[in-house]
Amino acid sequence: MSADIIDGKAFAAGLREQIAKNVEQLKEEHNLTPGLAVILVGEDPASEVYVRNKGKQTVECGMNSYEHKLDANTSEEELLALIDKLNNDPTVHGILCQLPLPDHLNSDLVINSIAPEKDVDGFHISNVGLLGTGQKSMVPCTPLGCLLMLRERHGSLSGMNAVVVGRSNIVGKPMANLLLRDSCTVTIVHSRTKDIEAACRNADILVAAVGRPEMINADWIKPGATVIDVGINRIPAPEKGEGKHRIVGDVEFASAAEVAGAITPVPGGVGPMTIACLLANTVTAACRANNLPEPEGLAA
Ligand code: NDP
């Protein structure tokens, strides 16, 4: 293996440490404790784990965590009324509504009813537009985490060829916009792209956000490229015992690491950065709400 491993777990731990210091300073100097409200509708087991981890890490960084667990049958009116209350609560600086929502709720309507300045997931249509036009916005957490790791590795990204595999609203598109804003030459490829491998082989920075286990192998990678693997895929692992699974990314790690200059592992790469960036966005939102300077290194 020749590639450097980009240790997202360690990077996220460092970021959380910095956030905790920022929070302490906000408390001491401005009597301000950033607060994050997380709404979970229904009982999806994976979502419950995410929400629990978010709450735990929020508190560990010294912030206030407000969890709102609602019944799966909650009506749209009830959910919108709760969001309205949180929008108007000055102790709440960030609001996150855990997706996916039950089918009877309109996710777009719900997300767009969160006040844009409290939309720490960066999914509100205003934040999407602000990011697309290069203005100050709340940035989606997973692409923000990828960007912070890339900046840490390369400093300036200006002039680099970046290829993003996947065009989803939560990862692919905002990632491409962030890379464009950092002056990369950006290509987005997706399921209809002709000769996707050739496009990827041109990438100095390759971001994989597909959701297909180990789709990208060494042949797709330019020697020395930086590979960011966003994918989280559960595949059967009979070697671990009957019915057991393991997590792999969208990149075939072992072969890719022979060619790439640097690569994020799965698990332990992008994943831990996502929650750390949610905390970063909450601090950023609290500072903006109080007209205070934003701590360096937390925003895009
Ligand atoms: P989506 O399913 O919303 O989007 C997947 C994208 O990949 C689509 O644009 C799709 O193209 C494209 N795609 C699918 N198959 C192919 C193919 N064979 N060749 C080229 N492109 C293809 O997924 P998300 O963006 O939400 O997530 C992507 C991955 O990242 C998943 O594994 C998810 O679990 C993971 N993830 C990880 C996070 C983290 O914290 N680390 C956070 C969010 C997601 P098309 O549009 O043409 O259909």
Side-chain angles (χ1 to χ4, degrees):
M1 176 160 53
S2 62
D4 294 336
I5 306 301
I6 302 177
D7 186 345
K9 209 172 157 188
F11 194 108
L15 189 58
R16 286 197 304 273
E17 228 169 85
Q18 186 202 327
I19 290 167
K21 282 186 192 146
N22 296 142
V23 170
E24 205 170 300
Q25 203 174 356
L26 288 171
K27 284 182 183 174
E28 274 177 15
E29 294 176 12
H30 304 282
N31 195 23
L32 171 63
T33 305
L36 172 65
V38 178
I39 304 169
L40 175 62
V41 187
E43 283 160 9
D44 177 56
S47 295
E48 285 192 356
V49 174
Y50 288 137
V51 167
R52 207 177 312 131
N53 283 338
K54 285 168 187 172
K56 187 168 164 272
Q57 294 191 25
T58 304
V59 171
E60 280 169 2
C61 282
M63 296 191 269
N64 289 328
S65 166
Y66 310 102
E67 272 181 33
H68 296 270
K69 288 192 174 178
L70 305 183
D71 190 85
N73 298 320
T74 300
S75 70
E76 208 157 79
E77 290 71 26
E78 286 169 310
L79 179 55
L80 294 180
L82 172 61
I83 291 174
D84 186 50
K85 198 172 126 216
L86 297 172
N87 282 343
N88 290 298
D89 182 342
T91 65
V92 172
H93 304 98
I95 303 170
L96 179 153
C97 189
Q98 185 67 43
L99 300 176
L101 287 170
D103 286 347
H104 68 282
L105 299 170
N106 178 339
S107 300
D108 287 338
L109 178 73
V110 169
I111 297 303
N112 289 327
S113 70
I114 296 173
E117 63 278 10
K118 295 192 179 188
D119 166 42
V120 280
D121 250 344
F123 295 159
H124 189 290
I125 192 72
S126 294
N127 283 316
V128 175
L130 290 167
L131 177 61
T133 49
Q135 300 180 67
K136 200 185 240 191
S137 65
M138 279 289 144
V139 171
C141 303
T142 300
L144 175 58
C146 298
L147 183 78
L148 296 182
M149 288 195 287
L150 285 167
R151 283 186 184 159
E152 167 80 4
R153 166 110 192 140
H154 293 284
S156 167
L157 309 181
S158 178
M160 296 177 86
N161 283 334
V163 174
V164 180
V165 191
R167 55 174 164 175
S168 72
N169 290 336
I170 63 166
V171 189
K173 282 184 207 154
M175 186 74 247
N177 267 325
L178 286 171
L179 291 164
L180 192 58
R181 212 164 75 168
D182 268 26
S183 298
C184 290
T185 302
V186 181
T187 306
I188 306 179
V189 297
H190 47 77
S191 68
R192 305 297 172 90
T193 300
K194 292 188 176 117
D195 206 350
I196 188 169
E197 294 184 37
C200 290
R201 271 194 296 271
N202 193 34
D204 303 311
I205 293 170
L206 181 62
V207 181
V210 194
R212 306 239 177 241
E214 302 180 321
M215 184 181 90
I216 295 168
N217 63 43
D219 295 340
W220 298 42
I221 296 170
K222 180 177 174 177
T226 297
V227 178
I228 304 288
D229 189 353
V230 182
I232 300 177
N233 309 290
R234 261 162 67 92
I235 62 167
E239 73 280 3
K240 290 168 89 179
E242 206 187 304
K244 296 283 182 195
H245 289 82
R246 66 190 173 96
I247 303 289
V248 297
D250 292 337
V251 179
E252 196 185 85
F253 182 82
S255 75
E258 297 292 337
V259 179
I263 185 166
T264 58
V266 177
V270 174
M273 285 299 287
T274 297
I275 298 187
C277 286
L278 173 68
L279 307 178
N281 276 347
T282 305
V283 172
T284 300
C287 291
R288 289 181 187 170
N290 289 277
N291 293 318
L292 295 171
E294 293 168 33
E296 262 177 46
L298 298 191

